[in-house]
Amino acid sequence: MAVAKKITINDVALAAGVSVSTVSLVLSGKGRISSATGQRVNEAVEQLGFVRNRQASALRGGQSGVIGLIVRDLTSPFYAELTAGLTEALEAQGRMVFLLHGGREANQLLQRLDMLLTQGVDGVIIAGASGVGSELCERAAAKGVPLVFASRASYLDEADMLRPDNMQAAQMLTEHLIRRGHQRIAWLGGKSSSLTRAERVGGYCATLIKYGLPFHSEWVVECESSQKQAAEVIGAMLRRNPTISAVICYNDTIAMGAWFGLIRAGRQSGEGGVETFFGQQVALGAFADVGENALDDLPIVWATTPAREMGHTLADRIMQRIDNTEVQAGHQIVAARLVPVK
């Protein structure tokens, strides 16, 4: 059986009628090459089916065109949306994303990073890496590879980081409910081990204190991200504390379950204050990681920090670091937006 001949850069140069060095300059995007020459080279690449050896290009000092992405938890809706937005933005710039699942163990993240660094990637993004950030930074710096982190919460003060402003989102949501007349506001969802939850609860508590409103520890209730459990928990919460007029939910899953729980209890959610309290309605607020167009059409006020848009911002950041190695690392904090009940 005949073996297909491997197309080389020499074949491309011959077909385009240019030198090998000219082809190399066109492929790397460097040097002053006329548009006509560039077009001839690209047409030859397309016609011959030439596949560029990205790793060899990187070893010669050029860019490979590949960005490494390590995601600690691909099952998380936040990181799934972030990955989608990042991939969209990088691919639109002609970049390829090399995606690895990091896992929850520190040694797994370190192994994944080492794997990417040996592949000659132009830069690395790590989504979720609390606990081992310093060592990750040191390994990337030793190879001269830009490294940017993305996370749901604040950590790694010394690293280049993009994250949402959880405290601001909670303050904004709580203040909105207070201005609608609610004075007895509870919290539902999340686990005490979550740093994201801690930041959001901190914003919620700070806002209640700011307005001189009551805070009761029993009004801050943990709950798994389960609609069924959220429906059961909010029902029990209101039976114990029937004067609660608003509840802030940790995420959209909790909010959906809480809404069903309110229907079951005959206290359907509404955004009003005193007038709805006497009708036994309870207002719901919640956090979401998607854009306004993707939100459920329910009577819920949302604080949204779209993870997909954060992915676009993250793509811009890693490209800045790749194109200019002098860019200083820093924290970029993304503010939430309020989406009131329609």
Side-chain angles (χ1 to χ4, degrees):
M1 183 174 64
V3 178
K5 177 181 178 292
K6 181 178 179 180
I7 303 300
T8 68
I9 194 171
N10 293 305
D11 297 320
V12 174
L14 183 61
V18 298
S19 67
V20 170
S21 60
T22 298
V23 175
S24 180
L25 288 172
V26 172
L27 293 176
S28 67
K30 298 180 179 180
R32 295 184 178 181
I33 304 296
S34 70
S35 58
T37 299
Q39 183 177 352
R40 287 208 314 275
V41 170
N42 287 321
E43 287 175 352
V45 167
E46 184 71 23
Q47 290 170 0
L48 296 174
F50 174 72
V51 178
R52 182 183 177 199
N53 187 328
R54 293 178 180 269
Q55 187 172 0
S57 174
L59 292 173
R60 289 193 299 269
Q63 291 186 3
S64 67
V66 178
I67 309 298
L69 171 62
I70 305 173
V71 182
R72 190 160 192 172
D73 183 9
L74 280 168
T75 65
S76 163
F78 173 83
Y79 289 120
E81 279 286 302
L82 183 83
T83 298
L86 175 67
T87 303
E88 287 172 354
L90 288 175
E91 288 182 347
Q93 299 182 55
R95 302 284 171 158
M96 179 185 297
V97 178
F98 191 156
L99 172 63
L100 294 175
H101 185 246
R104 295 190 173 276
E105 299 298 326
N107 65 320
Q108 291 179 309
L109 282 172
L110 293 168
Q111 289 171 1
R112 303 299 190 273
L113 177 62
D114 287 340
M115 182 186 302
L116 290 174
L117 295 177
T118 60
Q119 294 299 314
V121 296
D122 297 332
V124 176
I125 297 167
I126 299 180
S130 58
V132 290
S134 297
E135 190 167 355
L136 292 167
C137 289
E138 290 172 4
R139 294 194 184 190
K143 293 287 187 179
V145 176
L147 176 62
V148 178
F149 291 86
S151 177
R152 299 195 68 183
S154 174
Y155 66 91
L156 294 175
D157 291 338
E158 74 283 5
D160 208 354
M161 166 74 72
L162 177 72
R163 65 172 179 85
D165 194 336
N166 291 306
M167 180 167 283
Q168 173 262 344
Q171 290 172 334
M172 180 175 61
L173 196 54
T174 308
E175 190 168 73
H176 175 81
L177 291 170
I178 291 171
R179 289 178 174 175
R180 296 294 298 173
H182 297 281
Q183 297 188 359
R184 302 176 70 81
I185 304 170
W187 176 282
L188 176 62
K191 304 296 289 184
S192 59
S193 58
S194 166
L195 181 55
T196 301
R197 178 185 185 271
E199 291 179 352
R200 289 175 177 175
V201 170
Y204 153 77
C205 293
T207 308
L208 292 179
I209 292 171
K210 173 184 174 181
Y211 284 88
L213 296 179
F215 167 76
H216 304 284
S217 58
E218 65 269 22
W219 288 8
V220 180
V221 182
E222 293 187 39
C223 179
E224 298 285 352
S225 289
S226 158
Q227 290 186 17
K228 181 179 179 182
Q229 187 173 352
E232 293 171 351
V233 171
I234 197 171
M237 177 194 294
L238 294 175
R239 285 192 295 272
R240 291 192 302 269
N241 306 281
T243 59
I244 288 174
S245 68
V247 178
I248 295 178
C249 302
Y250 175 70
N251 61 24
D252 53 350
T253 300
I254 297 291
M256 180 72 77
W259 183 67
F260 286 127
L262 293 178
I263 292 176
R264 184 186 303 167
R267 301 189 64 177
Q268 291 92 328
S269 59
E271 201 189 4
V274 175
E275 71 277 8
T276 57
F277 170 73
F278 287 110
Q280 293 296 292
Q281 287 187 329
V282 174
L284 290 179
F287 303 89
D289 299 323
V290 296
E292 183 174 351
N293 293 336
L295 293 172
D296 293 313
D297 188 16
L298 295 174
I300 298 172
V301 54
W302 300 95
T304 177
T305 310
R308 188 174 293 252
E309 292 182 20
M310 285 185 62
H312 296 165
T313 303
L314 193 58
D316 292 339
R317 183 59 182 172
I318 191 65
M319 292 309 302
Q320 288 173 6
R321 291 288 307 280
I322 291 169
D323 294 337
N324 183 1
T325 57
E326 300 303 316
V327 171
Q328 294 297 311
H331 276 211
Q332 187 169 354
I333 303 172
V334 182
R337 300 194 293 267
L338 190 73
V339 183
V341 175
K342 297 177 181 179

